[in-house]
Structure formats: C-alpha cells, structure tokens
Amino acid sequence: MRLVLLGPPGAGKGTQSARLQDKYKIPQLSTGDMLRAAVKAGTPIGLKAKAIMDAGGLVPDETVVGIIAERIDEPDAKGGFILDGFPRTVKQAEALAAILHAKHMDLDAVIELVVDDGALLARIEKRAQESIARGEAVRADDNPEAFKKRLESHHAQTAPVSAFYASKGALKAVDGMAPINDVSVAIERALHEGARVASATR
C-alpha cells in the first residue's frame, strides 16, 4: 500500500496515518523525520542536507527527493508507505512520480482530508480560550493567528498538488470533519476503490 495523505494542519492526518500504519504494517514517512535520520546516519545526501541546514539554508527539492528515494528502498517500506507532508509542490509531485517510475512502483492512492477552515479556526480559538481560562499558556499550535497563517500557506502551496493528482484521476477526497471512525471508514473505501481502478487499468 503506497499512499500520499494530503490535508491542512489540524485535519487529522496524524491520527489516520497511525491507524493505517497499524493496519497495513507500513511506515509513515515524514520529510522532517527522514532528513534527521539521513543526517544522523551520515549518508551522502544526509551530509549534504546537514551542510545546508548548518548554514541556515532551506534544503532544496532535489535533496529532499533524494532522501525519499533512499528511504523507500529500506526493508520496512518494501510493503508500502504513507507519505505525510510530501509532496508539498507540483514540482515535488512530479519528482515523486519519476522516482516511483524508475523503481517500477505506483501509488495506490492519494487521499485528501477536506476540512472547513472556519470550523478548524473555531476549534483552535476554543482550545486557546480554554487554556487561558485554566490559567495556562496557549500552546504554539493553538495560537489562532499563527494557525491561520499556516492554513493560508498550506492552501497556497498544496492546492496545486491536489489539482495535479485530480487531473490524473488519482485524488480521493474524504470529509475530514466527520467523526474519526467515519473518516477511517471513508479512507478504507477510497483505498479499495483505488485498488479496483488500478487493477482494471493494468
């Protein structure tokens, strides 16, 4: 099962990824975790990334893509993987397609958790108010203004990625505002539909 999970912050990707990991016994691959692991392991790409980060720079697409190409060759990813937080841009989506093609692999599905921005912001504001009422500091993740900026950044970057996969008939939209169990059921349904489409086109 090779899966890309898209969705804004607060959409529940972490919760659903954990359930999919448990069910299919496949790793969730986060670009941040992979970068740190490559740096720690001292791989050629990891050393390159470390030099860039130590200099205060942003790790370029080709380096991130190289780290993903290395990671999906590891034994625990042979049965599949969940990509969370990647691809963030159409350029990255195209690079991922090239990697998989070179390895004779396909994505089984691209699932987007669709959420209502207003409802998400209301949820964050409520949590912030509850923290203040208890006399606690508001967590960084629960700062409404910061969260709003993260949402805007996500939509600006990732909306074209959704369109890219939709144009290829690969995107499955799931209502991320539904109860957690309902979202899990909808994801399973989307995965099985995707598998049927893939087998019918081979």
Side-chain angles (χ1 to χ4, degrees), residues 111-125:
I111 293 178
E112 181 172 24
L113 299 183
V114 179
V115 296
D116 178 85
D117 285 5
L120 273 184
L121 281 166
R123 189 186 299 168
I124 293 296
E125 286 168 354

Side-chain angles (χ1 to χ4, degrees), residues 46-181:
L47 293 172
K48 185 178 178 183
K50 184 177 187 300
I52 293 165
M53 290 188 290
D54 286 350
L58 289 173
V59 179
D61 278 356
E62 58 266 27
T63 305
V64 174
V65 167
I67 284 171
I68 287 169
E70 284 183 348
R71 180 66 182 86
I72 63 178
D73 278 339
E74 291 184 20
D76 67 332
K78 290 298 182 188
F81 48 81
I82 304 161
L83 281 172
D84 176 8
F86 183 92
R88 290 185 187 274
T89 64
V90 171
K91 185 178 177 185
Q92 289 182 354
E94 291 170 342
L96 175 62
I99 288 172
L100 295 177
H101 180 73
K103 295 177 184 294
H104 307 290
M105 296 177 179
D106 290 309
L107 284 174
D108 291 292
V110 179
I111 293 178
E112 181 172 24
L113 299 183
V114 179
V115 296
D116 178 85
D117 285 5
L120 273 184
L121 281 166
R123 189 186 299 168
I124 293 296
E125 286 168 354
K126 184 181 178 188
R127 286 210 305 242
Q129 288 164 1
E130 287 170 351
S131 295
I132 292 166
R134 290 193 300 267
E136 299 170 357
V138 176
R139 287 173 49 202
D141 287 350
D142 288 347
N143 179 304
E145 281 307 309
F147 187 79
K148 188 175 180 181
K149 285 176 184 172
R150 285 172 65 206
L151 269 182
E152 288 169 354
S153 173
H154 167 83
H155 289 312
Q157 279 192 323
T158 313
V161 176
S162 299
F164 171 83
Y165 284 119
S167 72
K168 297 182 178 301
L171 187 72
K172 302 283 183 183
V174 167
D175 179 9
M177 301 305 293
I180 290 172
N181 287 339

Side-chain angles (χ1 to χ4, degrees), residues 17-35:
S17 287
R19 291 185 169 205
L20 290 163
Q21 278 181 277
D22 190 50
K23 178 166 186 175
Y24 292 101
K25 309 303 178 193
I26 55 176
Q28 174 196 9
L29 306 183
S30 139
T31 47
D33 291 345
M34 283 186 281
L35 271 170

